[in-house]
């Protein structure tokens, strides 16, 4: 044993001068070389530190002259188990799943140790099919390694010298495998998202790579994302260009696994339209093919819709003169006519969706201009309006250009001429003399051209020209002239006319009708006498006088109003130093105008073609304040009376007027509106539907003005639209009948239908109420439906009703038990009756062999009884045959053949015998 001293004694021996000690293999013992020492005169061998090399037989030889004796001792040095120096101990061992694992406990000791194996502290006691222990228990083998074979394996080596333990940390590497079988085939719509799972596992964790259509997918791909462990691939948008091949490649140090996926990508239909413009034009009789080349996955099916109706069957297409080709992708118009014009829609559909394209087909017709009822030679009085019409029928819509004396008409140069947007009318808003001329409407389209010429003559009565700028201080043109006391006032009355009119000026006594302002006029005159400078500082205006007891003014302009100046009573204007007529009497000038000049001046232009006049009224001028009302938003029922109040406070009496939508309320403009009490009351004698909205009261005096606006809401009883309404309805039996009842009112009325006095309900077997009651549809009308059908509309404001008279026509039919074969003896007379009935009674036409028998008859055949009977006088053999009575009424037509047999003498006798 190491580190143990040993002594070998050889006593009671006789020593010779020469003594020898030998050791193993009879080698002579060298104490220095072997770490062995001799003492007690060689009788004892000491080994201070025993080593394995000291193991062996030690012999003590004692020799003298008498002889030799020997003693041999076997020394065994024991050693602790230790790892052999010829291999390096590696405590970390890697195994591969499915392969073999060998652990070798390479220890040595004297004596040879026993071996015990442990796994994770548990003794491996029994060998199994996969675990074996060999080679003196030093070799532990595991076949077909599995993942749970990893762990700590301990080799415990023991002998009498001691025990040693060696630990092996075993890691089991597993190639990539699927934790479960993922879905590998997907059906996905183009541009939709799909997520793929790659549930791989392995030791170490495998690296995962996704390959899409042969390209490695990365996080930077535009429409792809991967989970943090890369076990999921999210394709955010499946593109049409994708081939649908996806692979998940899992790799680690011990293996590789490829999992393949297939994407069946469905793409909705796309259509390539031919022609690409989706518009086509053709002449009547031409052939046109339109195509929808459809692509998609799966291959789309094609259907055609004509004029927005349902999808047409092949037979319906053929009946319409259409033909489908190229598996439905092409539609051909075989012989174009006007009925083929319209919209054609192709619909491509598959499991992924549908698409459609519209084609607008236009069948061209050259323009045609209808001759106007009023003729083309027109006369118009100057200042009136007239329209020259050009009604055109054409396909496509024709362009219309107007010419004046063979030159295109430029309406931008004449404010009184307007051409409607389509050119159908040339409107003269105000006919002037220079408009006398020839005007030609020229219309054209791709199919042709047409034209129509008018000759227009303008008649010119006297006209007083209105100034475009009114209310200019010191001048004006009738009704709206302003002046300043002490300044010059020009009253302008420029005239046109053929012949040139003569002008006269008068100062009218009608000014007395505003004498209600006499007190204000007196105050002004007193003030004027006291303050003479007022004549050059006070502004005057000219106002319109519309009636003897009322005056009105536009509310959209700033008016100043006062009483008349200090003057009343006018006579014919006499020129003097202050009143001067200028420019052929067309201007009346008041030099240094005085209050006594106030009044009404009338300019009258007279000629052989008529006369015209214009009035000028002069008046004087603290802003009025209208007393506010508690409620200016008023609800009123139509046809009820209403009074709106407008009381104004002011130091100077204000003139009160009313406006509606910016236009003055005048007595003669609307008899329903009456201004009373000097404008303080506006009476609506009967509120009308159109009276809803604002009414504005305007109070004006020389210092300013004030306004008050009322807003009316009119409740209106129901009104049923009767324009273009057919109340006498005639229908053919078994047809569907529609009746319309479009009602308006405020609030919106409810609509009910009655058959006679019985209310029609939704449960009626063949009466259907549609469009929220505004439409009644009778399905397959029959004779019992005839009579009065009434539509009634009601709301809180009242009710309205309209009645329809329904007449049901029955087409002609053969009367029951009618005789259609008749026999007559030759020489006898007979009348063939037409066995038909219908409502209304049908008209009858007789024919034989396709030839009509008129009312005048033929040979011995004539028509009697208002065409209902065919009389044959003294029947002959040649009268035998088939006679056809054709019955016609508004509901239809039917032919009834009647066979006549004329029996000769032989046949008569034969008949008697038998």
């Amino acid at each position: 044993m190491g580190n143990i001293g040993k002594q070998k004694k050889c006593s009671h021996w006789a020593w010779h001068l020469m003594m020898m000690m030998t050791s193993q293999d009879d080698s002579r013992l060298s104490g220095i070389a072997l770490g062995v020492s001799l003492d007690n005169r060689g009788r004892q061998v000491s080994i201070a530190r025993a080593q394995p090399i000291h193991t062996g037989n030690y012999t003590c030889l004692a020799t003298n002259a008498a002889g030799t004796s020997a003693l041999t001792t076997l020394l065994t040095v024991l050693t602790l188990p230790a790892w052999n120096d010829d291999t390096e101990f590696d405590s970390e061992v890697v195994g591969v799943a499915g392969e073999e694992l060998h652990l070798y406990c390479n220890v040595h000791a004297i004596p040879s140790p026993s071996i015990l194996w442990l796994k994770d502290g548990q003794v491996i006691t029994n060998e199994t099919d996969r675990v074996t222990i060999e080679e003196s228990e030093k070799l532990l083998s595991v076949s077909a390694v599995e993942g749970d074979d990893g762990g700590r394996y301990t080799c415990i080596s023991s002998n009498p010298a001691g025990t040693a333990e060696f630990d092996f940390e075993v890691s089991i590497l597993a190639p990539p495998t699927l934790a479960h079988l993922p879905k590998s085939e997907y059906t996905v719509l183009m541009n939709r998202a799909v997520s793929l799972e790659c549930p791989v596992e392995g030791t170490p964790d495998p690296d995962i790579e996704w390959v899409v259509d042969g390209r490695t997918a990365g996080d930077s791909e535009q429409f792809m994302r991967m989970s943090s462990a890369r076990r999921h691939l999210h394709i955010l948008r499946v593109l049409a260009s994708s081939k649908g091949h996806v692979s998940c490649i899992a790799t680690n140090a011990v293996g590789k696994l490829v999992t393949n996926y297939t994407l069946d990508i469905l793409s909705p239909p796309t259509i390539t339209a031919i022609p690409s413009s989706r518009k086509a034009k053709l002449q009547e009789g031409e052939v046109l093919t339109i195509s929808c080349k459809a692509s998609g996955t799966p291959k789309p099916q094609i259907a055609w819709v004509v004029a927005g109706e349902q999808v047409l069957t092949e037979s319906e297409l053929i009946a319409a003169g259409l033909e489908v080709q190229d598996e439905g992708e092409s539609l051909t118009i075989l012989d174009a006519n006007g009925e083929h014009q319209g919209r054609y829609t192709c619909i491509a559909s598959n499991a992924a969706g549908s698409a459609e394209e519209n084609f607008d087909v236009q069948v061209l017709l050259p323009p045609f201009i209808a001759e106007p009822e009023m003729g083309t030679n027109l006369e118009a009085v100057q200042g009136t309006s007239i329209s020259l019409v050009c009604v055109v029928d054409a396909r496509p819509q024709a362009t219309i250009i107007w010419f004046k004396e063979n030159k295109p008409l430029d309406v931008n140069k004449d404010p009184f001429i307007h051409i409607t947007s389509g050119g159908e009318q040339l409107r003269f808003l105000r006919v002037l003399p220079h408009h006398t001329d020839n005007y030609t409407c020229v219309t054209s389209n791709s199919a042709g051209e047409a034209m129509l010429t008018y000759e227009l003559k303008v008649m010119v009565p006297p006209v007083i020209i209105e100034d475009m700028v009114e209310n200019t201080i010191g001048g004006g043109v009738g009704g709206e002239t302003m002046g300043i006391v002490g300044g010059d006032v020009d009253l302008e009355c420029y005239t046109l006319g053929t012949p040139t009119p003569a002008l006269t000026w008068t100062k009218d006594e009608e000014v007395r009708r505003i004498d209600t302002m006499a007190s204000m006029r007196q105050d002004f005159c007193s003030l004027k006498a006291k303050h003479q400078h007022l004549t050059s500082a006070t502004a005057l205006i000219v106002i319109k006088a519309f009636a003897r007891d009322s005056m009105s003014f536009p509310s959209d302009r700033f008016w100043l109003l006062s009483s008349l100046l200090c003057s009343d009573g006018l006579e014919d204007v006499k020129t003097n130093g202050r009143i001067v007529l200028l420019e052929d009497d067309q201007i009346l000038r008041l030099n240094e105008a005085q209050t006594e000049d106030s009044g009404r001046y009338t300019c009258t232009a007279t000629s052989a073609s008529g006369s015209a006049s214009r009035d000028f009224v002069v008046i004087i001028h603290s802003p009025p304040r209208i007393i506010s009302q508690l409620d200016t938003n008023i609800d009123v029922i139509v046809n009820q009376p209403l009074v709106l109040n407008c009381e104004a406070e002011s130091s100077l009496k204000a003139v009160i007027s009313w406006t509606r939508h910016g236009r003055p309320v005048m007595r003669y403009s609307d008899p329903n509106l009456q201004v009373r009490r000097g404008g303080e009351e506006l009476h609506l004698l009967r509120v009308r539907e159109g009276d809803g909205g604002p009414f504005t009261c305007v109070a004006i005096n020389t210092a300013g003005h004030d306004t008050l606006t009322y807003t009316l809401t009119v409740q209106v009883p129901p009104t049923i639209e009767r324009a273009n309404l057919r109340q006498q309805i005639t229908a053919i039996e078994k047809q569907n009948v529609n009746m319309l009842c479009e009602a308006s009112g405020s609030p919106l009325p409810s609509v009910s239908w009655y058959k006679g006095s019985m209310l029609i309900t939704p449960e009626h077997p063949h009466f259907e109420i549609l469009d929220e009651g505004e439409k009644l549809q009778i399905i397959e009308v029959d004779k019992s439906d005839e009579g009065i059908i009434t539509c009634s509309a009601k709301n809180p404001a009242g009710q309205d009703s309209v009645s329809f008279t329904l007449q049901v026509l029955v087409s002609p039919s053969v009367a029951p038990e009618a005789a259609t074969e008749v026999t007559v003896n030759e020489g006898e007379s007979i009348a063939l009756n037409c066995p038909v009935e219908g409502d209304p009674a049908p008209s009858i036409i007789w024919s034989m062999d396709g030839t009509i028998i008129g009312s005048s008859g033929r040979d011995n055949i004539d028509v009697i009884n208002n065409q209902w009977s065919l009389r044959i006088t003294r029947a002959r053999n040649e009268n035998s045959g088939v006679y056809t009575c054709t019955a016609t009424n508004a509901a239809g037509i039917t032919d009834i053949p009647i066979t006549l047999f004329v029996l000769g003498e032989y046949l008569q006798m034969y008949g008697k015998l038998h």
Side-chain angles (χ1 to χ4, degrees):
M1 293 177 65
N3 299 324
I4 300 177
K6 291 295 184 177
Q7 292 182 343
K8 304 298 182 180
K9 294 183 177 180
C10 185
S11 58
H12 306 293
W13 290 1
W15 287 95
H16 190 269
L17 291 175
M18 187 183 97
M19 181 173 61
M20 179 182 295
M21 180 171 288
T22 64
S23 64
Q24 315 166 73
D25 302 327
D26 294 331
S27 299
R28 197 168 288 275
L29 184 62
S30 172
I32 297 174
L34 300 175
V36 178
S37 63
L38 299 175
D39 57 10
N40 197 15
R41 294 182 293 180
R43 294 184 181 189
Q44 180 175 298
V45 177
S46 296
I47 302 173
R49 188 178 181 86
Q51 297 294 330
I53 62 173
H54 295 141
T55 296
N57 293 314
Y58 288 80
T59 301
C60 166
L61 296 177
T63 303
N64 62 9
T68 300
S69 179
L71 176 63
T72 300
T73 301
L74 174 61
L75 175 63
T76 302
V77 179
L78 304 180
T79 61
L80 286 168
W83 196 266
N84 272 327
D85 293 337
D86 57 353
T87 60
E88 183 178 352
F89 174 64
D90 188 355
S91 62
E92 295 183 355
V93 179
V94 176
V96 178
E99 298 184 2
E100 291 187 349
L101 172 67
H102 300 286
L103 300 179
Y104 188 71
C105 190
N106 189 15
V107 298
H108 68 90
I110 299 175
S112 294
S114 63
I115 305 298
L116 178 65
W117 287 92
L118 289 77
K119 181 178 183 296
D120 297 328
Q122 300 295 319
V123 176
I124 302 175
T125 56
N126 298 318
E127 295 185 18
T128 65
D129 291 339
R130 293 195 307 108
V131 181
T132 59
I133 300 174
E134 303 173 321
E135 297 185 15
S136 301
E137 299 181 338
K138 288 184 177 182
L139 178 62
L140 175 66
S141 299
V142 180
S143 62
V145 169
E146 298 175 354
D148 54 2
D149 288 333
R152 174 175 291 181
Y153 289 79
T154 304
C155 162
I156 302 176
S157 177
S158 304
N159 69 2
T163 301
E165 296 183 3
F166 300 93
D167 292 329
F168 299 89
E169 294 293 340
V170 176
S171 299
I172 304 301
L173 302 183
T177 58
L178 292 171
H180 58 269
L181 191 63
K183 181 179 179 180
S184 61
E185 294 184 354
Y186 291 82
T187 299
V188 59
L189 292 176
M190 184 181 70
N191 294 326
R192 298 292 182 87
V194 66
S195 294
L196 309 180
E197 180 189 16
C198 187
V200 296
E201 59 186 10
T203 305
D205 284 339
D207 295 325
I208 297 175
E209 178 186 58
W210 291 88
V211 176
V212 179
D213 293 334
R215 292 179 54 196
T216 301
D219 291 326
S220 61
E221 295 287 340
Q222 183 179 6
F223 298 114
M224 295 185 189
R225 298 291 184 272
M226 283 173 274
S227 61
S228 57
R230 303 175 72 87
R231 283 179 168 80
H232 290 84
L233 173 64
H234 305 290
I235 303 176
L236 308 180
R237 181 179 175 187
V238 177
L239 302 178
S241 59
S242 175
K243 298 178 181 177
H245 302 311
V246 181
S247 297
C248 168
I249 303 174
T251 308
N252 64 8
V254 292
K256 175 179 178 181
L257 176 67
V258 178
T259 305
N260 293 318
Y261 304 82
T262 301
L263 304 183
D264 185 9
I265 302 171
L266 303 183
S267 60
T270 58
I271 297 174
T272 300
I274 302 174
S276 59
S277 64
R278 297 162 183 81
K279 297 180 183 295
K281 298 179 181 179
L282 72 163
Q283 303 281 353
E284 285 187 306
E286 291 184 348
V287 176
L288 173 68
T289 298
I290 53 178
S291 299
C292 280
K293 301 300 182 181
S295 60
T297 304
K299 182 177 176 61
Q301 298 294 316
I302 307 294
W304 288 89
V305 175
V306 178
E309 299 180 355
Q310 296 180 345
V311 175
L312 298 183
T313 63
E314 185 174 354
S315 60
E316 290 172 333
L317 289 168
I318 293 173
L322 305 173
E323 183 177 86
V324 175
Q325 301 169 345
D326 301 333
E327 298 181 350
E329 290 188 337
S330 297
L331 180 69
T332 299
I333 300 174
L334 299 175
D335 185 8
N337 57 49
E339 294 182 355
H340 289 129
Q341 178 161 306
R343 171 161 290 186
Y344 293 76
T345 302
C346 77
I347 303 173
S349 58
N350 64 8
S354 64
E356 65 179 53
E357 285 288 355
N358 294 317
F359 297 86
D360 292 319
V361 175
Q362 190 174 36
V363 180
L364 303 181
L365 297 176
F368 171 76
I369 304 177
E371 186 75 18
E373 293 182 3
M374 61 183 179
T376 58
N377 295 319
L378 306 178
E379 293 182 352
V381 177
Q382 179 185 358
T384 62
S385 63
I386 190 171
S387 295
L388 310 184
V389 298
C390 185
V391 179
V392 180
D393 182 19
R395 292 183 186 171
Q397 181 175 349
T399 59
I400 299 175
I401 301 176
W402 286 89
F403 290 78
K404 180 179 180 182
E405 285 297 338
N406 300 321
K407 294 181 180 180
L409 182 61
D410 186 359
V411 297
N412 295 322
K413 295 181 178 181
D414 193 333
F416 300 108
I417 298 180
H418 173 69
I419 297 177
T420 58
S421 60
E424 293 87 355
Q425 289 190 18
L426 173 61
R427 294 178 181 173
F428 293 83
L429 307 180
R430 182 181 294 173
V431 176
L432 299 177
H434 68 271
H435 292 147
T436 297
D437 216 322
N438 291 329
Y439 297 84
T440 302
C441 156
V442 178
T443 176
S444 62
N445 67 4
S446 56
E449 179 180 284
M451 64 177 60
L452 177 68
T453 299
Y454 289 90
E455 182 181 352
L456 176 63
K457 295 182 180 180
V458 179
M459 309 300 291
V460 186
V463 174
I464 299 175
I465 303 173
E466 294 185 9
D467 194 348
M468 297 301 292
V469 181
E470 299 179 351
N471 301 325
T472 303
I473 298 296
V477 285
E480 298 179 357
T481 302
M482 297 180 65
I484 299 175
V485 173
D488 293 342
V489 176
D490 284 349
L491 307 181
E492 299 176 355
C493 185
Y494 290 105
T495 60
L496 292 174
T498 304
T500 301
L503 290 177
T504 60
W505 289 85
T506 61
K507 191 174 182 182
D508 194 348
E509 292 184 359
E510 289 294 333
V511 75
R512 291 175 180 172
R513 65 185 174 185
I514 51 176
D515 276 347
T516 54
M517 299 180 180
S519 61
M520 295 180 64
R521 182 171 71 249
Q522 182 178 358
D523 292 342
F524 177 81
C525 293
S526 299
L527 186 63
K528 177 176 180 295
K530 186 176 180 180
H531 303 284
Q532 291 298 322
H533 66 279
L534 197 63
T535 59
S536 61
T538 305
L540 305 180
I541 64 171
V542 177
I543 64 171
K544 294 179 179 178
F546 294 101
R548 292 180 176 274
D549 57 353
S550 70
M551 294 177 293
S552 300
F553 310 92
S555 64
D556 59 342
R557 308 176 76 168
F558 188 78
W559 291 97
L560 300 176
L561 184 64
S562 71
S563 65
L564 291 173
L565 296 179
C566 308
S567 176
D568 62 84
L570 293 179
E571 59 282 331
D572 288 348
V573 174
K574 305 296 184 182
T575 59
N576 54 40
R578 292 195 307 103
I579 301 177
V580 179
L581 296 175
L582 305 174
E583 295 186 16
D584 297 329
D585 296 346
Q586 293 182 113
I587 297 178
L588 186 148
R589 175 172 293 175
L590 301 175
N591 293 314
E592 298 180 1
Q594 304 299 315
T595 56
E596 59 265 30
D597 295 329
S598 300
R600 174 178 298 157
Y601 294 82
T602 301
C603 160
T604 303
T606 306
S607 75
S609 60
S611 65
S613 65
R614 185 167 301 282
D615 292 338
F616 303 80
V617 178
V618 181
I619 57 176
I620 309 183
H621 54 107
S622 127
R625 185 181 67 85
I626 299 175
I627 301 172
S628 62
Q629 301 297 311
L630 294 178
D631 189 4
T632 57
N633 295 316
I634 301 174
D635 293 334
V636 60
I637 297 177
V638 70
N639 296 325
Q640 298 296 313
L642 179 67
V643 178
L644 304 179
N645 296 309
C646 181
E647 297 182 9
E649 298 176 337
S650 175
S651 59
L652 295 175
K653 182 171 180 61
V655 174
I656 300 174
S657 62
W658 292 82
T659 66
R660 169 82 167 148
H661 298 308
R663 300 177 64 86
V665 176
M666 298 178 291
R667 165 175 291 183
Y668 299 116
S669 63
D670 190 346
N672 190 56
L673 305 177
Q674 293 188 2
V675 180
R676 300 180 183 177
R677 295 184 58 195
E680 291 184 349
E681 293 180 354
L682 176 62
H683 289 251
L684 283 78
L685 303 181
R686 183 172 59 87
V687 175
R688 299 163 300 190
E689 182 177 354
D691 291 334
F695 284 84
T696 300
C697 155
V698 182
I700 305 172
N701 66 11
T702 55
H705 75 290
D706 193 12
T707 63
L708 174 67
T709 298
Y710 292 90
T711 302
L712 303 189
T713 300
V714 180
Q715 292 186 341
V716 182
T719 299
I720 297 174
E721 178 60 47
R722 288 172 168 80
N724 301 319
L725 185 67
R726 292 193 303 116
Q727 294 180 247
Q728 299 291 333
I729 300 176
T730 300
I732 297 174
E733 189 177 37
K734 299 302 181 182
Q735 287 185 344
N736 293 347
V737 176
N738 294 324
M739 299 182 185
L740 297 180
C741 184
E742 298 178 351
S744 61
S746 179
L748 189 68
S750 61
V751 179
S752 302
W753 291 85
Y754 297 83
K755 172 71 165 64
S757 61
M758 181 183 68
L759 176 66
I760 298 174
T761 66
E763 293 76 26
H764 196 283
H766 66 285
F767 282 39
E768 290 187 6
I769 299 175
L770 307 172
D771 297 340
E772 299 182 347
E774 290 191 346
K775 180 177 179 180
L776 177 66
Q777 185 175 68
I778 306 176
I779 309 299
E780 294 187 355
V781 66
D782 59 37
K783 196 68 177 176
S784 65
D785 296 325
E786 276 191 338
I788 305 299
I789 297 177
T790 302
C791 162
S792 177
K794 298 180 181 180
N795 72 358
Q799 73 176 44
D800 191 14
S801 64
V802 63
S803 295
F804 300 83
T805 301
L806 176 62
Q807 179 185 7
V808 180
L809 305 183
V810 181
S811 61
S813 61
V814 179
E817 300 178 0
T820 58
E821 292 186 357
V822 178
T823 302
V824 64
N825 293 327
E826 188 176 17
E828 295 180 354
S829 297
I830 189 170
L832 304 180
N833 297 318
C834 187
V836 67
E837 59 186 15
D839 189 10
S843 61
I844 307 299
I845 295 176
W846 289 88
S847 63
M848 182 179 185
D849 297 329
T851 302
I852 295 175
I853 302 171
S855 58
S856 59
R858 186 178 66 188
D859 196 3
N860 64 331
I861 302 173
D862 59 350
V863 180
I864 61 173
N865 194 17
N866 198 23
Q867 303 278 345
W868 280 80
S869 300
L870 185 70
R871 182 173 59 192
I872 302 172
T873 305
R874 292 189 293 277
R876 301 192 295 267
N877 185 52
E878 58 266 29
N879 293 134
S880 296
V882 177
Y883 294 82
T884 300
C885 75
T886 301
T888 306
N889 67 6
I893 183 171
T894 188
D895 292 328
I896 304 172
I898 302 174
T899 303
L900 175 64
F901 298 94
V902 178
L903 303 180
E905 184 178 352
Y906 173 79
L907 291 177
Q908 294 178 34
M909 295 179 61
Y910 180 80
K912 291 177 180 179
L913 293 175
H914 293 81

